[in-house]
Amino acid sequence: MAGQAPGNTPSGSGRPPGRDDAGGSWLYNPAVRGAAYQLALAVAVGFILYEASVNAIANMRRLGIVSGFDFWNAPAGFDINQKLIAYSSTYSTYGDAFWVGLLNTLLVAGMGIVLATVLGFIVGVARLSGNRIISVIATSYVEFFRNIPLLLQLYVWYNAVLRALPAPRQSVTMGDAVFLNNRGLFVPDPVFGPGSDYLFIAAILACAAILLYRRWARRDQDATGRQHPAGLVSLALLAGFMAAGWLAAGQPVTFNVPELRGFNIVGGLQVYPEFVALLLGLSIYTASFIAEIVRAGILSVSRGQTEAAYSLGLRPGVTQRLVIIPQAMRVIVPPLTSQLLNLTKNSSLAVAIGYPDLVQVFMGTVLNQTGQAIECVVITMLVYLLLSLLTSLAMNIYNRRVAIIER
């Protein structure tokens, strides 16, 4: 046809010759092709899982391994040094050992997340400091710790730092109540007597009072512009309620103070060196990555925001806290979530220094004693999957709260 552009079909529909103008061949339908590819992938994955299951069952039968979870209630027969719940090698079961390992993992992961986040924010802000010395120290920290493998750092903290401390008889003491040696840190252990429930009630009331005050302070600031010392008032409310509960209960809490007897420390609360080494390694290593995330988030905020705050008479510290960081959080939170997930999963390296976490206790000792490899591995994988999903859920909720709402 005269004047027709090259490549155009006579119908002007853009379809190749021979195609049905009503709808075309289903082979050229993107939705059909996509569904076919997904179905083929699902069939391939299902076949692989089926073959793996059949092979595993055949090998277990050949080796005489009985599958199932009957081992859960069998006596464990081994001891665990750090335990947050009652546990004994004589009467506790493998199920109890699982909970001990899980709680130890949650303890080090929870404390590591808090310490790494706080330290990472401090170092990230320090990297942008106008003070050259502070900026260089923060930069050196980031470049040093994030470029050394975490496992190597754990070995250094455990073997070169904590295990090099003096023996119990040469402990570093503080007022004959705190002892530091190569077996750990010994501090007074609180013993809760009758009436301790009043302290629990006082803590709940204090948290409720703090929430109410902060809500009122936020609303009053939105209405009048006045700022209130929310942090100091919150600490005062907490201290006041706890003191009132302490007096009302008749001082129900006493302390079991550690003391040196012979060649060992008796009594008190022992903080094991394995726990400290793992906590320090995870926190310092992860904080170096969080610092870079915080620095990038702050730099993403327009310089005009800082200049506008200065023009209103705000000081640099107030500007950073109330103007820059709140806007930077929408950039900081998504990559921060990944680092928190990595910290939780990296805690499985505890087996390298003997900390009794879930992997060391359940996938190590329990698996070796029972031979239930598939059950132990699957349970451990599901636990870490659940922890990751819960962490992601919490961070996504927080991310929606700090996100900038477009008008």
Side-chain angles (χ1 to χ4, degrees):
M1 181 181 295
Q4 178 178 328
N8 287 351
T9 60
S11 62
S13 62
R15 298 189 184 95
R19 293 287 303 275
D20 184 5
D21 292 338
S25 173
W26 62 272
L27 293 175
Y28 295 95
N29 191 327
V32 174
R33 291 201 308 268
Y37 293 151
Q38 294 179 27
L39 179 60
L41 178 62
V43 171
V45 172
F47 177 76
I48 294 174
L49 293 178
Y50 171 77
E51 288 294 326
S53 301
V54 171
N55 183 59
I57 292 174
N59 290 332
M60 291 174 62
R61 289 176 177 174
R62 179 173 56 83
L63 297 175
I65 300 176
V66 180
S67 62
F69 295 92
D70 295 337
F71 72 95
W72 190 266
N73 295 319
F78 65 91
D79 200 6
I80 303 175
N81 56 5
Q82 178 175 310
K83 40 191 176 289
L84 301 180
I85 58 175
Y87 178 88
S88 173
S89 59
T90 57
Y91 61 81
S92 295
T93 63
Y94 290 121
D96 297 329
F98 166 81
W99 292 113
V100 171
L102 175 60
L103 290 177
N104 287 341
T105 295
L106 294 177
L107 176 64
V108 72
M111 294 185 64
I113 285 174
V114 174
L115 293 178
T117 304
V118 173
L119 181 59
F121 265 83
I122 294 174
V123 176
V125 174
R127 285 206 64 182
L128 300 174
S129 173
N131 189 312
R132 183 66 176 173
I133 297 178
I134 295 178
S135 177
V136 169
I137 293 176
T139 302
S140 302
Y141 166 87
V142 171
E143 297 300 332
F144 180 79
F145 284 104
R146 75 172 180 172
N147 289 304
I148 297 179
L150 174 58
L151 184 59
L152 179 59
Q153 295 188 36
L154 293 179
Y155 282 134
V156 171
W157 283 111
Y158 183 64
N159 294 307
V161 177
L162 298 177
R163 300 300 294 179
L165 292 173
R169 291 185 64 86
Q170 290 78 36
S171 299
V172 179
T173 62
M174 183 180 299
D176 291 331
V178 178
F179 297 83
L180 177 63
N181 52 61
N182 56 13
R183 298 184 183 178
L185 176 66
F186 296 81
V187 296
D189 184 18
V191 179
F192 296 91
S196 300
D197 295 340
Y198 286 97
L199 295 178
F200 179 72
I201 297 174
I204 295 177
L205 294 177
C207 293
I210 291 172
L211 291 176
L212 292 175
Y213 171 77
R214 284 182 172 272
R215 180 176 299 179
W216 171 84
R218 188 181 302 110
R219 291 179 178 177
D220 186 69
Q221 181 177 353
D222 294 339
T224 64
R226 292 194 302 266
Q227 296 185 13
H228 300 274
L232 294 177
V233 174
S234 299
L235 291 177
L237 288 173
L238 179 61
F241 274 94
M242 295 304 294
W246 172 278
L247 295 176
Q251 302 179 1
V253 181
T254 58
F255 291 91
N256 179 15
V257 180
E259 58 178 331
L260 177 62
R261 292 183 183 176
F263 296 95
N264 201 3
I265 307 295
V266 179
L269 177 65
Q270 182 179 4
V271 182
Y272 291 91
E274 295 82 4
F275 169 77
V276 177
L278 182 62
L279 181 62
L280 289 176
L282 290 174
S283 302
I284 293 176
Y285 177 77
T286 308
S288 62
F289 291 91
I290 295 178
E292 284 297 277
I293 295 173
V294 172
R295 184 178 71 92
I298 293 175
L299 291 177
S300 69
V301 179
S302 173
R303 177 66 182 174
Q305 298 291 319
T306 303
E307 295 174 350
Y310 289 167
S311 67
L312 295 175
L314 297 181
R315 298 185 300 274
V318 178
T319 300
Q320 191 80 278
R321 187 175 69 254
L322 300 180
V323 178
I324 304 302
I325 292 182
Q327 297 184 67
M329 289 303 294
R330 62 188 176 92
V331 179
I332 293 174
V333 171
L336 175 63
T337 303
S338 298
Q339 293 303 320
L340 301 186
L341 294 176
N342 289 338
L343 187 148
T344 302
K345 290 179 287 188
N346 287 338
S347 65
S348 60
L349 293 175
V351 65
I353 57 175
Y355 177 72
D357 74 323
L358 181 63
V359 174
Q360 198 270 348
V361 172
F362 199 67
M363 273 191 57
T365 307
V366 173
L367 188 152
N368 291 330
Q369 290 190 2
T370 62
Q372 307 296 134
I374 295 180
E375 292 83 353
C376 293
V377 171
V378 169
I379 291 176
T380 305
M381 291 173 61
L382 291 177
V383 167
Y384 278 100
L385 175 61
L386 180 61
L387 293 179
S388 298
L389 292 177
L390 292 177
T391 303
S392 298
L393 176 62
M395 293 301 294
N396 287 334
I397 294 174
Y398 178 73
N399 189 34
R400 287 196 293 267
R401 293 189 58 185
V402 301
I404 297 179
I405 302 176
E406 301 291 342
R407 296 183 181 273

